[in-house]
Amino acid sequence: MTRIVVLISGGGSNLQSLLDQCQTDSMDANIVAVISNRPDAFGLSRARQAGVKALTLDHTGYADRAAFDAALAELIEAQKPDLIVLAGFMRILTDDFVRRFPGKMINIHPSLLPRYPGLNTHQRALDAGDSKAGATVHFVTAELDGGPPIAQVEVPISDQDDADSLARKVLVQEHRLYPTVVDWFVKGRLRLDASQVLLDEQPLPKSGRLLDTASL
């Protein structure tokens, strides 16, 4: 059974979608720990309610980013994970940290990468006059939101959308996209070979596989 560690900083709605998926018979995986850098993160309560180990590593207790990342890496390694899932983990990770988990760490970002890495993605899409937004699941590398994309889902932008309404629409699809990609990894279908993402041993496009919302 695939051992998964999930990193969070907040409410953990994507965590909840993964917890729900793992509690079905369709995915042979176990979330062995949820780790938050914020003690008040609601996602920790979600983990406890699901009977999952909920751990806190408060970043404010460390002198610098490198010290925190070193402690976080040790805590993660103690859980012996096969996969590390970032689900709203609001920390920029150091190169040394990322290099300890090559091909074993994925993240979800609320934009169609490479467009709009970083924050305020929905407002930036609106300001640019885009006709669509979306979400991307990617492998984590040292470059912020710059790791090789695995899969994307698109969401149309309407004239009535503001940043909040667009965020809600995208989040609905995130909750469907992330478990799909995690399931690929669990089933041994997904891997990273150097900088090339392979699904069923076939290379994916640079932007990852675009999934139809109807198929999720």
Side-chain angles (χ1 to χ4, degrees), residues 64-79:
D64 54 30
R65 191 178 301 277
F68 171 78
D69 278 10
L72 178 61
E74 289 182 6
L75 183 59
I76 292 171
E77 287 173 343
Q79 316 309 315

Side-chain angles (χ1 to χ4, degrees), residues 1 59 84 94 113 119 128 141 146 175 203:
M1 181 173 287
H59 66 276
I84 302 157
T94 59
L113 292 172
L119 302 176
T141 63
H175 294 164

Side-chain angles (χ1 to χ4, degrees), residues 73 77 93-105 140-142:
E77 287 173 343
L93 298 168
T94 59
D95 292 1
D96 286 344
F97 178 90
V98 173
R99 279 195 290 266
R100 290 174 77 159
F101 305 103
K104 293 177 61 175
M105 188 158 46
V140 176
T141 63

Side-chain angles (χ1 to χ4, degrees), residues 91-150:
R91 295 281 300 174
I92 297 174
L93 298 168
T94 59
D95 292 1
D96 286 344
F97 178 90
V98 173
R99 279 195 290 266
R100 290 174 77 159
F101 305 103
K104 293 177 61 175
M105 188 158 46
I106 61 175
N107 182 43
I108 192 164
H109 183 74
S111 79
L112 296 171
L113 292 172
R115 296 177 70 84
Y116 316 127
L119 302 176
N120 303 316
T121 57
H122 307 299
Q123 189 60 54
R124 290 157 69 189
L126 292 169
D127 291 344
D130 292 351
S131 62
K132 59 190 176 184
T136 305
V137 178
H138 63 94
F139 280 105
V140 176
T141 63
E143 181 184 356
L144 176 64
D145 298 327
I150 301 166

